[in-house]
Amino acid sequence: MSARRVLILEDQKVVALDVASMLEEKGYHPVIVCSSAEIANRAIDLAMPDLGIVDLGRRERRQRLDTAARLADRACPVLFLTDGANPLHDLPEAMQDYDVIVKPFSDTCVLRTVESLVLGRGPQGLEMPGEAPTLPHDGPETPGGRLS
């Protein structure tokens, strides 16, 4: 797999660094970790990522959704993270089909979702360049998370 750029917008430092480390071990590079939507938007201006991972926290929620929309408008798939306490019913209609993973989550759950979004046709309906995913399919692992 060629290197893929990933932007993570997550204000919980431990979660962000855990996901970044996991992705870097799998060859994703660079993985840019941003603690605010403002920083994420500056990073997008410098280099468009191949995938965006956006936490749906309550803090600056509207700005985070705007950042996710900005990524999607440029054909960049978006994966949402949430702690389960944050509502999903207020997502814009265009984002209703985005993958959502609930914290706490397993590495396998995140990696399978990321790889399906980056390597093939993601659930968001974006035609992504690259080969079709060749992931083992013994059903999605969902402890603490779900695959759409």
Side-chain angles (χ1 to χ4, degrees):
M1 167 179 64
S2 64
R4 306 275 187 170
R5 293 179 308 273
V6 179
L7 180 133
I8 300 171
L9 172 51
E10 167 66 69
D11 58 350
Q12 293 180 14
K13 196 176 275 191
V14 172
V15 173
L17 294 177
D18 182 46
V19 173
S21 174
M22 170 192 344
L23 293 174
E24 286 170 347
E25 285 178 17
K26 291 296 183 182
Y28 292 87
H29 181 76
V31 178
I32 300 114
V33 175
C34 305
S35 60
S36 72
E38 179 184 353
I39 295 168
N41 285 317
R42 280 192 257 153
I44 293 167
D45 289 340
L46 294 173
M48 189 65 187
D50 297 300
L51 173 74
I53 300 176
V54 177
D55 175 58
L56 289 174
R58 293 174 198 255
R59 190 175 77 97
E60 69 173 10
R61 184 174 175 94
R62 175 56 31 213
Q63 294 90 337
R64 289 167 184 259
L65 290 173
D66 289 346
T67 299
R70 185 172 180 210
L71 291 166
D73 286 346
R74 296 182 181 180
C76 176
V78 176
L79 168 61
F80 286 134
L81 301 179
T82 183
D83 64 9
N86 297 314
L88 298 176
H89 62 79
D90 67 339
L91 293 177
E93 188 174 334
M95 296 180 184
Q96 293 290 322
D97 292 334
Y98 287 21
D99 282 298
V100 177
I101 297 179
V102 179
K103 302 173 198 172
F105 45 76
S106 70
D107 291 0
T108 303
C109 183
V110 172
L111 289 172
R112 283 185 179 175
T113 305
V114 165
E115 290 177 6
S116 72
L117 288 171
V118 170
L119 294 178
R121 187 174 194 43
Q124 296 169 32
L126 299 172
E127 193 66 52
M128 301 305 298
E131 59 192 70
T134 56
L135 303 172
H137 187 60
D138 54 354
E141 182 177 325
T142 59
R146 74 170 172 83
L147 294 175
S148 296

